Amino acid sequence: ESFGNRVTRSDDVKKEPQGGSIFKIRTTVFFFIYGFLVLLAFIGFLVWRLRRSKFQARNSKMHFENICQELDGSEDPVPESMKDAPINDKIDYLPYKKNYEIAKENLEKGPVLGHGMFGVVKKGYLKMADPKTEDEQKMKLEVAVKSVKNTYALDQISMLAAELRLMCAIEKFPNVLALVGAVTSELRKGHLLIVTEYIDQGDLLEYVRKHRHLFEDHLVPDKTEPDSYLTPLSAKRKTYHFKNEEGETEKAISQNLDSLTTSDLLSFGLQIANGMQYLSTIPLVHRDLALRNVLLKKNKTIRIADFGMARKYDDKTYYKQSSKEVPVPIRWMSPEAVHNMKFTQQSDVWSFGICLYELFTLGGLPYPTIDNEDIYVYIQSGRRCLQPDHCHLELYDLMKLCWNAKPELRPTFTHIVEYFVEHMKKSAEHVYDFVEDMLRLEAESQRKLDDWIRINRSEASEVDLKSV
Ligand SMILES: Nc1ncnc2c1ncn2[C@@H]1O[C@H](COP(=O)(O)OP(=O)(O)OP(=O)(O)O)[C@@H](O)[C@H]1O
C-alpha cells in the first residue's frame, strides 16, 4: 500500500510539470498576443490623437484668424435696411476700436472676482502706459479683467470678441459698465482679455440677498384698506403710502452698505431703468437683464453689465445648437422670446419688470412655485408674478405693464423712467434727488476715467497694433 502510495505520488510529481508548462506556454502566448494587440491599439490611438490635434490646430488657427479678421468688422457699409436695427444685429459691421488696445505688460492680474458660465472675471491693476513722473509710475487703475475659462473653446472666444466689439460701441454712461480696454495681441493663441471698470460690491442680487435681514420697510399700509369678507377680492389688495413725512426724509437714504431700505430699492430700480434707457437709444438689446447682471458700487450706484448674451448668432440657431450648454434664463424671458428666441427692446422691458420683482422680494426667485418647464404655459394662461410684500401698488402696476402679453403694448424705457420719476417725485422725492445727485457725480467720474483711458491708450495702441 505504501509502495502504491509512493507510485501514485511520483506519478503526480511527473504529471504536474507537464500540465503546468502547457499552461504556462498558453498563458505566455495569450499575454503576448494580448500585449501586442494593446500595443497596436495604443499606437493607433497615438496616431489618431496626433492627426486630430494637427487637424484641430489647423482648424483653430483658421478660426482664430477668422476671429482676428472679425475684430476689424466688415468693410462693407451697413445695408440701408439695417440702419435703424439694434447694434446686436449689425455686429458683423462693428469694428474693435484699436485705440482700446492695452499693452499686456501694463496689466497685472489679481484675485478671481467671479465666474460665469464660460467666463472668469479677475481683479486687475492697469499701469499708466507712459508714466512721466515717479508718482505716475506708481499709479494703477483698479479694473476687472474678463476672459474665457477654456482658451480652446473657439465659440466662447468668438462670443467674447463679439462682446468686446459691442462694448466698443457703448459710450460712457453712469449706469452702464464702462469698457477700459482689451488685450487682443495674443488672440491667435486663444487669449483675449476684456478690461472694464472695477465695481467693488459685486452683483446686486447677491447684495440684496445678503442684506435682506437688515431690510427696513419704508412703506406703511393704508389705513383705509377695506377689510370685510364682502369686499370684492380686487379691492382687498394692499395699498401703501411711502413713509416720508417731515423729519423722515433725512435718514431715508443712506450710503451705508449695511442699510437696505425701500428707498434703496426704488433708487436701484430707477438706475437700472436709466441705464436701459441709454442702451435703448444706441439701440442695443441686452437680452439677459437680471439682477445677477447688475453690479453695485459702494456709493450705491449701479452698473448694467454682462453683454455676453448680446451676441451675433442668429438667436434660434444659437440656442438650438447649444441648448445643452446654455441654460436659457426662462424666468426673465418674455413669452415671445421663449417661443421664438427673438430678443427685442420689448423683451428687455419684460426682463426689467422681473428685475423689479427681484428687487422688491429682496432677491426672490421669480415664479418660486413653478418649475422651469411649466413657466411658459403659466405665463400664457395670463398669470404673472404676484405683488411682492415690500412694493407700492404703483410699482406693481408698472411691473404688470412690463409683462403685457403684447410686446407693442409694453412701455418703452423712456416711459418707464418717466413713470419712475413721476412716482418718486410724488411719494419719495428725497430718493429721486439722491439718485440725481449721485448720477451727476458718476458722470463726472466716468469722464475722468475716459480721460485716463485716452491718455494711456496713445502709446499702448502704437505698440500693440503691430502685433494684432
Ligand atoms: N466689472 C466688474 N467689477 C467687479 N466684479 C465683476 C465685474 N464684472 C463681473 N464681476 C463679477 O464676476 C461675476 C461674473 O461676471 P459675468 O457674469 O460678467 O461673467 P460671465 O463670464 O460673463 O458670465 P456668463 O458666462 O454668465 O455670461 C459677476 O457676478 C461679478 O460678481
Side-chain angles (χ1 to χ4, degrees), residues 81-218:
S81 59
M82 290 180 93
K83 279 257 155 69
D84 297 326
I87 57 169
N88 318 60
D89 297 342
K90 297 185 283 199
I91 202 153
D92 284 338
Y93 301 90
L94 294 182
Y96 161 57
K97 294 180 185 162
K98 285 180 179 147
N99 59 351
Y100 269 117
E101 187 68 19
I102 288 170
K104 199 180 171 204
E105 57 276 15
N106 286 339
L107 186 65
E108 265 171 45
K109 279 199 233 162
V112 171
L113 295 170
H115 293 274
M117 191 63 189
F118 306 117
V120 53
V121 180
K122 288 184 181 169
K123 189 168 179 185
Y125 305 90
L126 185 60
K127 286 189 261 174
M128 287 190 85
D130 184 24
K132 302 266 188 305
T133 61
E134 246 181 59
D135 274 355
E136 283 190 357
Q137 256 168 15
K138 285 185 210 145
M139 219 180 262
K140 284 175 191 169
L141 180 71
E142 283 186 313
V143 289
V145 184
K146 184 166 174 172
S147 57
V148 293
K149 286 180 189 164
N150 177 0
T151 52
Y152 294 105
L154 292 162
D155 274 5
Q156 288 153 36
I157 294 168
S158 176
M159 259 154 54
L160 195 67
E163 186 175 348
L164 170 62
R165 288 191 287 145
L166 208 83
M167 288 190 83
C168 284
I170 305 172
E171 298 292 323
K172 304 281 172 294
F173 189 81
N175 292 128
V176 177
L177 186 68
L179 178 67
V180 171
V183 179
T184 68
S185 51
E186 293 189 344
L187 185 53
R188 284 183 177 85
K189 289 186 209 157
H191 300 297
L192 173 63
L193 306 176
I194 297 186
V195 181
T196 62
E197 58 180 332
Y198 169 64
I199 308 298
D200 47 22
Q201 297 301 311
D203 72 82
L204 190 55
L205 179 64
E206 184 97 355
Y207 174 78
V208 287
R209 281 187 178 168
K210 272 195 183 151
H211 292 80
R212 62 160 58 132
H213 65 285
L214 298 170
F215 181 71
E216 205 182 306
D217 199 342
H218 283 176

Side-chain angles (χ1 to χ4, degrees), residues 86 89 285-288 309 315 319 328-329 333-334 336-338 340-348 351:
D89 297 342
V285 178
H286 188 288
R287 303 188 188 196
D288 196 12
M309 281 265 284
D315 310 338
Y319 285 103
V328 177
M333 282 162 68
S334 63
E336 74 279 3
V338 178
N340 59 17
M341 291 295 163
K342 269 283 158 221
F343 294 87
T344 58
Q345 286 186 21
Q346 287 88 352
S347 62
D348 273 354
S351 309

